[in-house]
Amino acid sequence: MTDYRSVPVVDSVHDRRSASTQPGSRMARRAAAAAPPPPPPPDDRPPRSHRSGGSGGGQTKMRVLAYVSIGVTTVMVAGALTAYTAYRDAFGNINEKSVKEDIINPRPPDTGALNVLLVGSDTRAGAGNAKYGQQLAREADAGGKRTDTIILLHLSPDRDKARLISFPRDSMVQVPKCKNEATKQEMPPRRDMINSAYNSGGIACTISTIETLTGIRVNHFVEVDFSGFKNIVDALGGIEICLKSGVNDKASKLVLPPGKSLLNGEKALGYVRLRKYGDGSDIQRIKRQQIFLSKVVAKATSSELLTDVGRLRDFIAAAAGSVTMDPELANDTEQLIQIALSAKEMTANGVKFTTVPWVPDPEDTNRVVWKQPDANELFTSIKTDTEVTKTAEAGADTPAKPKAKIKPEQVRVQVLNGTKTVGKAREVADELAKQGFTVVGLGNYEAPGGVSLAKSEIHYSKTAETAADHALTLGGSVLPKPQAASGKVKAVGAQPYTGAVATTTGAGAPAKGTPVIQLVVGEDFDSVKVTKLPDSVNNSTITASEQKNVCT
């Protein structure tokens, strides 16, 4: 057992379930009527990774995506789109599983972003998986099924930014009520390790647990097991890793020297599941896994693979037969193409791998709990990633652009509580201050008739020349976006703001005479957009340079 009081912060990833021609796959359903696959394109044909001419290509790629239980998810899509006609037959190997009816808790709203839950299953079902995870098999219930990896892939509404969030499986959390996967009977909520949700409630309960804890809508899911993970790595020709010290672990039957090694599927599986290395913690293993997966992503989207028709075909076939996903994702070509088109940018800049901030569990130092408010700020940054860049040409209906670009640090804000909730103004003021706004005052607002204000509002001086621009910056950071109007309202009980977060001073502070913008908080207020993450989040994020140049 690992005592997390002495564990450095790092991150996780893992294994998955394979899916070939099982009863749930489209291959099985179409076997009788399957037509012979079309001939492969000539080897000298240019890659078609960004063509949108077929649903199959996009679907295949996404399957790949799932393969690596995380970042690979996204990147693989690009490869599948390369030769839709040639690889169309591989689509039938993808397992589909619908779980929507088994999610019994209220679900967060859809923000336009794409959030895919990637889970690595250590199920012992199937001959290919039986020899792995013997210790976990003894720990699991009769079903022998646990999530060995839980990662949320987040793609922004514009599909131009990505973050992969790892949830340590040793996290003690509140698991909500769920249906038992086998009996469909409702199970009461409980405090347990996060990966236990999968054991009894399957992927539906895992989705509900993540949504309930984070407030983030999970749009789709992808599962991959041990055999599937091996198949994908082998199809890529192995992955090179670098070790600070050698490994000789009898439990995983893994022997590796210090320095660089090229791992095949079997050794790669032992490596990402390795416990007896370093401090032996799940947290440190997460970081090794994230670095490993970043290398998988890079290799899966390399020009070397995408221009080799034979290798690409083998890789797509291995990936497609190794994953299970929801039918909505499996059959949504447009969605898959969007993921594919974002892969190139993500690979070039380095996918962000982040671990949920944590501290040792006071009740059991072999477990962890999420560090607050840092974890919630990370989740809020995902929930509030709602902006879609407008590309419409300027016209009569196009809003006027601000005369000057105003940064949050330059905006002076007075926050007024228009609700009946005591302390609401200070709560919102603290959130604004954390994101860099210069909060100067607090107070209350009395709506006509003494009722609670239904919707938040922004008010600014009619006479200040740049007030509207300052109001625009403030409005863009509040959800839902308040209506802005010239002319201030009367503040009741106004007082200076003295918050826990220091206000901006020096060169970045508002200039003398900067107008004060009023934010009147209404009942509809949800949150302030989080763009500045806590140090604990930034410190647990693996950078692009770490992904490329690290020996673990």
Side-chain angles (χ1 to χ4, degrees), residues 33 52-53 64-65 169 273 355-356 387 445 475 477 498 517:
S52 58
V64 171
L65 210 158
R169 72 174 194 174
R273 305 195 73 246
T355 303
V356 175
E387 287 293 324
Y445 169 72
S477 294
T498 53
I517 311 301

Side-chain angles (χ1 to χ4, degrees), residues 36 47 54 59 97 121 175 199-200 237 256 273 363 370 385 399-400 409 415 425 490 521:
Q59 296 172 355
K97 179 165 62 178
S121 170
V175 178
N199 184 36
S200 55
L256 295 172
R273 305 195 73 246
E363 298 181 16
W370 298 344
D385 183 10
E409 292 80 2
V415 183
K490 181 180 179 181
V521 181

Side-chain angles (χ1 to χ4, degrees), residues 364-395:
D364 182 355
T365 54
N366 294 307
R367 301 286 178 256
V368 301
V369 292
W370 298 344
K371 182 180 180 181
Q372 297 297 356
D374 300 31
N376 282 346
E377 289 182 24
L378 170 62
F379 303 147
T380 299
S381 73
I382 299 298
K383 290 188 295 182
T384 58
D385 183 10
T386 59
E387 287 293 324
V388 177
T389 303
K390 297 184 183 299
T391 57
E393 295 182 2

